[in-house]
Amino acid sequence: MEWGTKDIRKAFLKSALTEENPFISTDETIKWLAERNEAVHVKVNRVNFDDLNQWKFTPNKGSLVHESGKFFSIDGIRVQTDYGGVSQWEQPIINQPEIGYLGFITKEFNGILYFLAQAKIEPGNVNNVQLSPTLQATKSNYSKVHKGKTPRYLEYFKERSRCAVLLDQLQSEQGARFLRKRNRNIIVHTEEEVSVHEDFVFLTLGQLKKLMQFDNLVNMDTRTVVSGISFGSELAEEEVIKYGASSNGLDYLKSSMLFESSINSIDNIIAWFTELKCLYDLNITKIPLGTVDQWHIEQDQIRHQDHRFFKVIATEVEISNREVARWMQPLVQPEQDGLIAYVAKKINGTLHFAVQAKLESGNFDILEMAPTVQCLTGNYRKTKKGALPFLEYVLNARKDQILIDTIQSEEGGRFYQEQNRNLIVLADDGFSEELPPNYCWMTLNQMQSFLKYNNYLNIQSRSLVSMISFI
Amino acid sequence: MEWGTKDIRKAFLKSALTEENPFISTDETIKWLAERNEAVHVKVNRVNFDDLNQWKFTPNKGSLVHESGKFFSIDGIRVQTDYGGVSQWEQPIINQPEIGYLGFITKEFNGILYFLAQAKIEPGNVNNVQLSPTLQATKSNYSKVHKGKTPRYLEYFKERSRCAVLLDQLQSEQGARFLRKRNRNIIVHTEEEVSVHEDFVFLTLGQLKKLMQFDNLVNMDTRTVVSGISFGSELAEEEVIKYGASSNGLDYLKSSMLFESSINSIDNIIAWFTELKCLYDLNITKIPLGTVDQWHIEQDQIRHQDHRFFKVIATEVEISNREVARWMQPLVQPEQDGLIAYVAKKINGTLHFAVQAKLESGNFDILEMAPTVQCLTGNYRKTKKGALPFLEYVLNARKDQILIDTIQSEEGGRFYQEQNRNLIVLADDGFSEELPPNYCWMTLNQMQSFLKYNNYLNIQSRSLVSMISFI
């Protein structure tokens, strides 16, 4: 464990601040991904649940499960809560109790740390191939329940003598879709030779962040791992970034990393969050999937009566590349695309983000810290005016207020063509510093300090944090 | 929320560093507690479950519950885990899903912060009366399920305009006894006049910590709230404490607060903890209390077949003071007294504590950070030599190695005469810096930074941390 050593930190910091790459430029990476996309054919055919090999409903349609009892199941839950306008509802949810690996191998070349990224095909991706971490594996994957090959590079993560661990965090998944699911976000550093398979490339952190400025090139798993990397005072120490007082939003972003001049202390924020956790109850009861109120199990899908939220579809996946792979699995398809947005405002010279304490049914601990606007389970274009705080504000933001605006995908191994708009909007002077009780101003530095400890920042917050670039 | 303001922090810091008190001295407080103990008569009579008013077993002895469905219940659980030597067991456990308040009101007099402590009678206490926080109330208490009076001073915590919140944290309870129980540890600051009821006194933090050096004067709830107060760099700022290089253990303790010169970074420690959380499974299944393997429900107790661990007893409590109060309730009685101990060692000039990652059945998130030795569920005097790492080391410590050695009580509202020995032992030079995989060296400062975030330091760790005094 050498995270603390100055040399690695320096190599790592440089990685965030450069696109310099002797192996592949950022433009070449984009081309390479496009070629990969061309070269691969992914067919996702809808089938009936009756024909979904190796998957079955338990007696009385209690759950939809894999024959092995592994991977994941689709269960029914009843949710009771005093948070929000609806005090009780029932819904299907993905139950995947295993903790999977989302891991990057990093290696130093010429004093810069490079991240081994994979062009990974996932059946649910809108564009087939996206950049994923080096290793993306559930326990069922790497314990070979599916009788396939051992995932590439797994040994670097399992044999600890081969690598130093730079970061290893438990992080939550989508709370409205997964029941208490968490993944292990891990970055290791090796001094060994690494043989780079043709689906893999070494990229700087700066390149990864640059690629996130494009739609759907970098997958959710990469984004969550990258979000865990904090910089804070080290950026200041290195004096690589100067504190800028210009009106440019990115300068404020940078300033937000450098100075602990938040209007709220960490203790204040913890007190705010504790009070809300004590205020709201979240009771989850498992119920048979077949009895979930307002949801119908049809022969090829499980859907809400009004076609709201999402549906669970049965699919046959065919991926033809050099060879052909075929399998069947359920996928979760959203009924609409969504929007997540942070509103950020310069307060006392430092950029603050309006963080929302949000309850979602699958949360591990009642509330997590969500973006200012998170509209994924309903249609944000049809949301009644004023019903969702700050929604109109971010939708009506002027161009010069927008720091980040891209479309990003959810994990293509579980979600079918799910894309959401990711926005960071700079508030103008008229935006009130007073927030509703469920919201709290935090600097980027503070968000990242919460991110270190598990089950604070939700996956949508982490997706937005990951995109913040320093070059 | 004014925690951050310099004036309060200063008043608060002074409170930790003085026993100066215009109202009551530390000696007078001890006398006052002794008098209170004399004046009160507590009778705890064993009764049969059949005669336990308002409590009943659910059909087929599923659980032992209060008629209102409130307070707590005694449930049965099956525990499956790959941590430790026993892979499966069944046990009774206290299920109390409500989050209660453990709260102190503080007020400034002459630039020093004073904590309003209560001489509280609890039926389980060995000595009847101990110092508790200002407010100690379950939701059933303060929502008046028991039809009693509203707890004193509740309004200071509920009406937020009356107080500034200095600290508000969710903290775990005993993991081997409670199923995922947490309490709200809160400290508020008021500028209002506070009318001090005769059972209450204003004390400095220094006095509270001094009183913890005596056996059974300060209750567990006070200790957990006090443990949440971190000092860190501010003590250094004030230059109240000088870094000392003498062999005196307390000097090292102080140095441990001042300098972030830990051999492990926070990121390293999180990585260590994440890996262990991923390594171990903890599956809890609720089962009927009547079927719990190796446990018998008898007419007046629920006990282990070999009289191990603890028993649940049915009691009639009679407290006579100025008036007489009578009620009935189950209490949990340990089968032996226990021992918790931290081994601390000077490494690179800074004191480090050997923290243990420990799985307990009721843990909210698999593992918590426990003392180096935690022997509560078995008899430490009969533990086989070498079976429990570091047990012999702390039992055989020389007098000059012992920084803290007192007997402290568990919460007397649930536990009957449960006392444990609390030790902090200074390791000698021969003590290896290499620890087994489940242990990690941390400075006091680091332990306190984990303590801020919920479900890291367990209640036994917090009890020991609370006792560390700076005067």
Side-chain angles (χ1 to χ4, degrees), chain A residues 3 160 182 267 275 365, chain B residues 3 160 182 267 275 365:
Chain A
W3 187 231
R160 268 306 154 79
R182 299 192 295 184
D267 285 327
E275 173 156 38
D365 191 10
Chain B
W3 187 232
R160 268 306 152 80
R182 299 192 295 184
D267 285 327
E275 174 156 37
D365 192 10

Side-chain angles (χ1 to χ4, degrees), chain B residues 130-160:
Chain B
Q130 297 188 8
L131 280 175
S132 87
T134 321
L135 177 68
Q136 190 173 310
T138 63
K139 211 169 198 170
S140 297
N141 277 149
Y142 63 78
S143 59
K144 297 200 275 186
V145 173
H146 68 341
K147 296 185 188 110
K149 292 179 203 147
T150 304
R152 260 180 234 288
Y153 302 112
L154 176 65
E155 63 278 14
Y156 286 85
F157 297 89
K158 297 205 85 173
E159 298 163 21
R160 268 306 152 80

Side-chain angles (χ1 to χ4, degrees), chain A residues 1-4 9 99 139 157-158 160 165-170 180 182 184-185 230 264-272 274-279 281 364-366 449-450 452-456, chain B residues 1-4 9 82 99 139 157 160 165-170 180 182 184-185 230 264-272 274-279 281 364-366 449-450 452-456:
Chain A
M1 301 214 290
E2 315 169 29
W3 187 231
R9 286 299 290 173
I99 296 175
K139 212 168 197 172
F157 297 89
K158 295 206 86 173
R160 268 306 154 79
V165 176
L166 302 189
L167 174 153
D168 193 355
Q169 303 169 338
L170 274 183
R180 295 181 189 161
R182 299 192 295 184
R184 183 173 178 180
N185 289 219
S230 59
N264 295 307
S265 69
I266 287 283
D267 285 327
N268 286 160
I269 297 170
I270 290 172
W272 163 78
T274 300
E275 173 156 38
L276 291 172
K277 277 189 182 177
C278 295
L279 189 62
D281 282 326
F364 190 82
D365 191 10
I366 313 171
S449 77
F450 280 105
K452 282 181 198 280
Y453 302 88
N454 45 225
N455 297 98
Y456 280 92
Chain B
M1 302 213 290
E2 316 168 27
W3 187 232
R9 286 298 291 175
D82 44 11
I99 297 176
K139 211 169 198 170
F157 297 89
R160 268 306 152 80
V165 176
L166 302 189
L167 175 152
D168 192 354
Q169 303 168 338
L170 273 182
R180 295 182 188 159
R182 299 192 295 184
R184 184 172 178 182
N185 289 219
S230 59
N264 294 307
S265 69
I266 286 283
D267 285 327
N268 286 161
I269 298 169
I270 289 173
W272 163 77
T274 300
E275 174 156 37
L276 292 172
K277 277 190 181 178
C278 294
L279 189 63
D281 281 326
F364 191 82
D365 192 10
I366 312 170
S449 77
F450 280 105
K452 281 180 197 280
Y453 301 89
N454 45 225
N455 298 99
Y456 281 91

